[in-house]
Amino acid sequence: MMTSIIEIKQLSYRYDKDTVLENINLSIAEGSFLAIVGPNGSGKSTLLKLILGLLKLQKGEIHLFGQEIRRFKDWQRIGYVSQKANSFNTDFPATVFEVVASGLTKRIGMFNRFTKEHEARVLDALEAVDMAQFKNRNIGELSGGQQQRVFIARALVSEPQVLILDEPTVGVDAENVNAFYQMLDYLNKSKGITLMLVTHDIGTISDKVSHVACLNKRLHFHGDSKEFEQLRMEDMSNAYGHDVQLLTHHHEYGGR
Ligand SMILES: Nc1ncnc2c1ncn2[C@@H]1O[C@H](COP(=O)(O)OP(=O)(O)OP(=O)(O)O)[C@@H](O)[C@H]1O
Ligand SMILES: [Mg+2]
């Protein structure tokens, strides 16, 4: 059954005087893979921070797993990799294993013993992002894309049901973006993790995600990726005339 695990109603938010989010209504079904797109400064990160309880709700409602966000305590069910994760100080002397294990402190507390079971979880998380072979490597000795996978593993180690990623492909080169999305697809389909991702890869995402939300202070569009494709075609033909649609049409049948 498709149930909503994140439900947002009439949400507005302002930092000082400027309203950055206005009347957002959005519901995210369990098992979906949602991409949030929008220009710089359109409120994408702000929306994620509100969902994560990092910013205080001002107006509207957020329900997480059916519970009002103010009462919600089960934060280990929601994993998060921030937009700044890729500017993390990687001179910090820690191994890949240690970085991922640090994701468990919320769960086991700072001073409790690290058990064999915890170790197995760290290795599972590293395997899920295909980085187990690097477990003893220093975090600073990895490429940007590899580091990003390690940060995802750190978010996965507490076995969240939802994973929220803010521009995770920024440090990933074009060649590896595909492999990166394949890994996300695996987390979504095989591990059943609901994904919510902010991205500027507008051209490459629509066949990789189940839903798309276009944000620019207001939510201009929210629907499944097929509807989004349709909308993009209409936008193009409005902007360039109907020739574009003819070309696209021919292209669909493999000929020119
Ligand atoms: N802590 C803050 N205090 C005041 N204004 C802020 C703060 N954080 C963000 N803003 C402003 O709120 C607006 C939305 O910012 P936000 O970071 O949510 O945008 P974004 O869509 O994530 O952009 P980007 O694509 O650049 O990451 C911007 O105009 C930004 O300048
Ligand atoms: Mg942002």
Side-chain angles (χ1 to χ4, degrees):
M1 193 180 73
M2 294 289 266
T3 48
S4 267
I5 53 177
I6 299 177
E7 186 87 50
I8 297 167
K9 285 186 197 147
Q10 298 177 344
L11 177 76
S12 294
Y13 190 81
R14 55 172 63 193
Y15 285 101
D16 297 311
K17 281 185 222 112
D18 300 334
T19 299
V20 297
L21 292 172
E22 199 171 324
N23 197 25
I24 309 291
N25 291 287
L26 179 64
S27 104
I28 298 161
E30 184 167 11
S32 59
F33 183 170
L34 170 71
I36 300 175
V37 300
N40 292 133
S42 57
K44 304 180 299 295
S45 296
T46 303
L47 178 63
L48 298 191
K49 287 175 190 164
L50 282 160
I51 293 170
L52 290 155
L54 300 173
L55 291 173
K56 209 170 156 230
L57 200 62
Q58 295 170 344
K59 201 172 168 200
E61 291 174 31
I62 300 178
H63 284 83
L64 305 172
F65 299 95
Q67 197 169 33
E68 224 283 306
I69 192 167
R70 289 186 184 89
R71 294 198 187 145
F72 186 76
K73 290 199 173 64
D74 231 354
W75 290 104
Q76 72 196 21
R77 293 171 88 174
I78 305 180
Y80 171 52
V81 180
S82 77
Q83 189 169 358
K84 300 242 163 64
N86 46 18
S87 57
F88 175 82
N89 178 9
T90 44
D91 292 336
F92 188 73
T95 65
V96 165
F97 186 93
E98 287 163 346
V99 170
V100 177
S102 73
L104 281 169
T105 49
K106 228 192 317 184
R107 199 177 184 111
I108 61 181
M110 284 285 229
F111 306 106
N112 288 332
R113 266 190 51 208
F114 191 82
T115 63
K116 278 270 170 221
E117 192 210 315
H118 295 136
E119 184 179 338
R121 276 173 182 254
V122 171
L123 293 177
D124 277 355
L126 279 170
E127 254 152 43
V129 299
D130 203 16
M131 285 295 289
Q133 70 272 36
F134 295 101
K135 67 183 160 95
N136 296 320
R137 185 79 75 85
N138 202 298
I139 182 81
E141 294 162 1
L142 295 177
S143 73
Q146 290 169 333
Q147 282 171 5
Q148 195 64 310
R149 285 178 182 243
V150 174
F151 297 131
I152 291 175
R154 181 174 61 176
L156 285 176
V157 77
S158 59
E159 300 188 338
Q161 283 161 277
V162 189
L163 185 59
I164 297 181
L165 307 168
D166 200 345
E167 299 196 32
T169 54
V170 166
V172 183
D173 61 44
E175 239 169 86
N176 287 305
V177 164
N178 254 328
F180 191 84
Y181 277 108
Q182 254 165 37
M183 175 204 73
L184 293 182
D185 190 62
Y186 165 77
L187 295 179
N188 181 238
K189 302 243 170 63
S190 304
K191 298 245 168 193
I193 299 172
T194 305
L195 294 178
M196 188 172 179
L197 153 134
V198 167
T199 180
H200 289 285
D201 302 336
I202 190 160
T204 48
I205 46 134
S206 56
D207 60 330
K208 305 204 166 59
V209 300
S210 65
H211 294 79
V212 179
C214 301
L215 187 69
N216 197 356
K217 186 152 81 170
R218 290 169 166 272
L219 197 61
H220 289 273
F221 169 82
H222 175 227
D224 67 35
S225 38
K226 282 207 185 72
E227 289 171 66
F228 177 68
E229 274 296 307
Q230 192 62 41
L231 178 92
R232 282 178 67 207
M233 280 197 207
E234 282 163 16
D235 270 4
M236 290 230 279
S237 61
N238 287 339
Y240 304 110
H242 53 260
D243 283 345
V244 172
Q245 227 171 12
L246 279 177
L247 274 178
T248 320
H249 184 76
H250 283 293
H251 186 73
E252 257 181 8
Y253 292 90
R256 284 272 335 248

